[in-house]
């Protein structure tokens, strides 16, 4: 005869099916609205104002302001400084990131701290450092003057200041990527007889190519738009040591607003181009990661 058990009453919390809370639909709408409003006020409207003021007097005046000798000299100097600083920072960034991510050595934390130094030091302070070292009254200034070597208030000083403020960008993009990949592939290449250069060229760099390109783009954008450090070491000599940001400042201080905005629009266009290239690289990187 089967035993008859009394019915078991379950707690109320267990007998009822749990209801899943769905997110309130108005929350993402509010967040997106706040983000778009912020971007409109602090990005889209200022950019639109720059281009509006640049073409306010017509396309003819715009091109005349760009082709003016001092403006053209500033554009050329900006491109020269970036063309020298970016490749040097590329070599430094690859070497520093490879050493930090793939090797253990004494002073590793100090090297990481020094790489981050330009992020914490004001660009104006970095320019003053170069004046203290290479200026006429600086540490090596008298020796440079005796040998007729000009660094401060000349192109070499502008290049040095640009290199200083931009050298962390490539290294800081590569270090996390190389650390995340580990050392297994490099160790396997070394076991198979690959040299250090072959390991770097055929194993390490292909794995970080998108981060490398991204770091170069950011470094180039900062090099062309740098103002503080370059302003200290340039001397503001028109047609000689003025970069494009410095030329924009001079035109604005002289109340040549249309010409100032015309030159500023070039910097804005370069910024937009940098963002477009950055977005393209991120999309390519995400496609490769999915495949």
């Amino acid at each position: 005869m089967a035993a008859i058990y009394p019915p078991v009453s379950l707690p109320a919390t267990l007998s009822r099916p749990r209801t899943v809370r769905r997110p309130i639909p108005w929350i993402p709408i509010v967040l997106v609205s706040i983000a778009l409003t912020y971007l409109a006020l602090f990005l889209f409207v200022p950019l639109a104002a720059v281009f509006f003021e640049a073409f306010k007097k017509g396309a003819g005046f715009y091109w005349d302001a760009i082709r003016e000798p001092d403006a053209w000299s500033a554009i050329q100097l900006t491109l020269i400084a970036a063309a020298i600083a970016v490749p040097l920072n590329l070599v430094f960034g690859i070497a520093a990131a490879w050493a930090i991510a793939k090797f253990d050595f004494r002073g590793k934390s100090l090297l990481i701290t020094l790489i981050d130094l330009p992020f914490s030091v004001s660009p104006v302070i970095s320019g003053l450092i170069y004046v203290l070292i290479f200026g006429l009254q600086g540490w090596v200034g008298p020796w440079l003057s005796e040998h007729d070597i000009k660094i401060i208030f000349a192109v070499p000083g502008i290049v040095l200041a640009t290199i200083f403020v931009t050298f962390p960008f490539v290294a800081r993009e590569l270090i996390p990527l190389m650390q995340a990949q580990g050392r297994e592939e490099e160790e396997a290449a070394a076991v198979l007889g690959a040299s250090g250069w072959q390991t770097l060229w055929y194993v390490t760099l292909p794995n970080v190519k998108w981060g490398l390109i991204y770091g170069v783009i950011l470094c180039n954008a900062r090099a062309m738009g740098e103002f503080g450090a370059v302003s200290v070491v340039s001397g503001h000599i028109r047609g000689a040591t003025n970069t494009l940001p410095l030329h924009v400042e001079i035109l604005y201080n002289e109340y040549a607003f249309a010409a100032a905005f015309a030159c500023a629009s070039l910097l804005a266009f370069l910024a937009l181009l940098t963002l477009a290239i950055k977005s393209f690289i991120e999309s390519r990187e995400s496609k490769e990661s999915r495949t």
Side-chain angles (χ1 to χ4, degrees):
M1 183 176 178
I4 300 175
Y5 296 97
V8 179
S9 60
L10 295 176
T13 56
L14 297 178
S15 59
R16 298 197 202 113
R18 291 186 176 181
T19 58
V20 180
R21 287 188 176 183
R22 295 182 179 180
I24 303 175
W26 57 266
I27 291 181
I29 297 176
V30 172
L31 294 178
V32 171
S33 300
I34 293 174
L36 291 177
T37 303
Y38 190 88
L39 289 175
L41 291 176
F42 296 100
L43 181 62
F44 299 139
V45 172
L47 282 176
V50 168
F51 285 100
F52 175 78
E53 293 293 335
F55 289 95
K56 190 174 182 179
K57 294 186 177 181
F61 183 87
Y62 178 87
W63 291 115
D64 290 338
I66 297 299
R67 292 180 296 182
E68 192 262 334
D70 290 341
W72 183 240
S73 175
I75 295 171
Q76 288 178 318
L77 182 56
T78 302
L79 296 177
I80 290 172
I84 297 174
V86 173
L88 292 177
N89 287 330
L90 174 63
V91 174
F92 168 79
I94 293 174
W98 197 31
I100 291 171
K102 306 299 181 181
F103 301 96
D104 294 321
F105 55 92
R106 184 174 297 178
K108 187 175 182 178
S109 59
L110 177 61
L111 178 58
I112 296 175
T113 302
L114 292 177
I115 290 175
D116 292 335
L117 186 63
F119 289 140
S120 58
V121 176
S122 171
V124 176
I125 301 301
S126 64
L128 290 175
I129 292 173
Y130 283 109
V131 174
L132 177 63
I133 297 175
F134 301 109
L136 188 60
Q137 305 298 326
W139 295 347
V140 296
W143 183 87
L144 294 174
S145 179
E146 290 177 1
H147 294 80
D148 196 23
I149 300 175
K150 294 182 179 180
I151 294 181
I152 301 301
F153 305 152
V155 176
I158 295 173
V159 173
L160 288 175
T162 304
I163 291 174
F164 179 84
V165 298
T166 57
F167 78 79
F169 286 93
V170 177
R172 264 301 162 196
E173 287 296 324
L174 294 182
I175 290 173
L177 292 177
M178 290 186 180
Q179 287 177 336
Q181 290 169 359
R183 308 177 185 177
E184 290 78 9
E185 294 185 9
E186 283 79 5
E187 292 173 353
V191 170
L192 294 175
S195 63
W197 172 256
Q198 290 174 331
T199 302
L200 174 66
W201 187 257
Y202 294 105
V203 178
T204 304
L205 291 184
N207 291 331
V208 297
K209 60 180 179 180
W210 294 117
L212 181 64
I213 297 173
Y214 184 49
V216 169
I217 291 172
L218 291 179
C219 180
N220 183 69
R222 177 63 189 275
M224 290 189 294
E226 174 55 31
F227 179 84
V230 173
S231 177
V232 174
V233 301
S234 69
H236 295 271
I237 305 173
R238 292 185 94 157
T241 63
N242 269 346
T243 58
L244 192 55
L246 300 182
H247 185 65
V248 171
E249 182 201 25
I250 289 178
L251 291 175
Y252 190 83
N253 291 335
E254 293 177 349
Y255 301 101
F257 297 126
F261 280 108
C263 295
S265 67
L266 288 180
L267 294 173
F269 174 76
L270 292 174
L272 294 174
L273 181 62
T274 300
L275 291 175
I277 297 174
K278 170 181 170 293
S279 301
F280 173 76
I281 291 174
E282 288 178 345
S283 64
R284 290 291 301 272
E285 185 179 7
S286 62
K287 287 181 181 178
E288 287 193 2
S289 62
R290 287 196 298 266
T291 57

